[in-house]
Amino acid sequence: MSRAPAPEGEQELAATGGVPRHVAIIMDGNGRWAQKRGLPRVAGHKAGAEALRRVMQAAADRGVEVLTIYAFSSENWRRSAEEISDLTGLMRFYLDRELASLDREGVKLRLIGDYSAFGPELVTRLERAVEHTKDNSRLTLVVALNYGSRAELVAAAKALAGKAAEGTLDPQQIDEAGFAAELQTHGLPELDLLIRTSGEMRLSNFLLWQAAYAELIFLDKLWPDFSERDFAEAIGRFAARERRFGGR
Ligand code: FPP
């Protein structure tokens, strides 16, 4: 597994443990990016997908273990039928075009959210991609599809309540680790850093439990303009805060 040399000044940070293990991104601003150029919204999503490809590479090169992206929220169904179809079309296109290169790069794909809503054909493709990449270990790409954090929390509470009702779990024994084990992100490292582009300062129902201790970075840039350099800077800011505040 090759690791690109860290840009000057960053070796020291990585050596002191400054690289976040788990980074999440709310990739916001595709529509505005397109609008500013007089282009249809789908052009923004295409440019957004290219930005994602660059950032994935940068994350893997820097030794980030998990990158979780908000690709489609449960609120996104409110968009026009045309835009939804453009977004799912893009997913299909990238799954077909990028699977081999994801695999070559050592990327393991994992899904969170109720992606069954995308229909059997896309579900089959998604699950095939997960199966195909399951033995990779360089970077885990967690794609949130039809994801909503509150729904995830409710499902976890239901699962625990079900176990309690059937007598296999003593409610007094429920603790944070036991709760986290029922979330769709079970088994992943703690979220260290959450980045949102486009100037909005909200979590928008994304990883509410998981973000409890994460550093939050909000950037004014629109997602398609987000570069490797922006990613490196975000990691640098995370590392600097880690050094200032010490342990959690
Ligand atoms: C937010 O921009 C972005 C999304 C709703 C979707 C993210 C999708 C991609 C980056 C493209 C492809 C993804 C995959 C997994 C192939 P927005 O449309 O909300 O922007 P706006 O707030 O400016 O309207």
Side-chain angles (χ1 to χ4, degrees):
M1 240 171 277
S2 67
R3 232 180 117 163
E8 220 174 301
E10 270 186 44
Q11 265 118 355
E12 189 199 318
L13 299 181
T16 55
V19 176
R21 293 181 69 194
H22 185 173
V23 179
I25 309 186
I26 302 178
M27 310 179 292
D28 199 6
N30 295 346
R32 277 163 281 169
W33 184 94
Q35 196 178 21
K36 266 175 46 183
R37 288 163 178 75
L39 296 170
R41 291 178 64 82
V42 66
H45 294 314
K46 280 186 191 155
E50 292 304 316
L52 171 59
R53 190 217 302 263
R54 292 193 295 270
V55 166
M56 221 160 53
Q57 186 68 55
D61 287 346
R62 278 158 206 283
V64 170
E65 291 169 42
V66 181
L67 182 66
T68 300
I69 54 159
Y70 212 0
F72 196 99
S73 75
S74 41
E75 285 80 27
N76 284 154
W77 295 111
R78 294 196 206 118
R79 297 191 175 200
S80 71
E82 186 192 352
E83 186 170 0
I84 292 172
S85 141
D86 284 342
L87 276 167
T88 52
L90 262 182
M91 269 184 244
R92 202 171 282 119
F93 174 77
Y94 275 94
L95 275 172
D96 283 350
R97 205 189 75 170
E98 297 293 324
L99 185 57
S101 86
L102 283 183
D103 197 33
R104 239 190 343 267
E105 296 285 338
V107 176
K108 174 184 186 155
L109 189 67
R110 180 163 161 175
L111 306 170
I112 58 172
D114 181 13
Y115 60 89
S116 68
F118 290 103
E121 196 255 346
L122 193 48
V123 166
T124 303
R125 281 173 200 248
L126 285 163
E127 289 179 347
R128 206 186 295 147
V130 169
E131 174 63 22
H132 192 80
T133 59
K134 72 176 190 311
D135 295 324
N136 293 337
S137 58
R138 187 160 172 247
L139 175 76
T140 298
L141 177 69
V142 182
V143 183
L145 288 171
N146 190 27
Y147 174 86
S149 195
R150 286 185 173 183
E152 180 190 30
L153 291 164
V154 168
K158 263 191 200 154
L160 292 168
K163 288 179 189 173
E166 72 189 17
T168 54
L169 175 70
D170 172 1
Q172 292 311 316
Q173 299 303 313
I174 297 172
D175 59 8
E176 291 187 12
F179 196 92
E182 297 293 342
L183 298 174
Q184 295 182 15
T185 49
H186 60 87
L188 296 173
E190 278 270 349
L191 182 62
D192 294 310
L193 172 63
L194 187 143
I195 302 168
R196 181 173 190 154
T197 55
S198 95
E200 310 288 344
M201 299 223 237
R202 288 190 297 273
L203 291 183
S204 299
N205 205 14
F206 189 46
L207 303 178
L208 301 180
W209 169 285
Q210 296 85 343
Y213 295 104
E215 293 288 342
L216 307 178
I217 294 187
F218 299 100
L219 292 178
D220 272 335
K221 280 207 173 171
L222 303 175
W223 173 248
D225 292 326
F226 190 84
S227 64
E228 281 122 310
R229 194 186 170 83
D230 294 316
F231 188 73
E233 277 176 17
I235 298 234
R237 276 167 66 181
F238 168 82
R241 291 178 193 180
E242 279 274 290
R243 270 185 318 204
R244 255 184 293 133
F245 299 122
R248 329 202 113 136

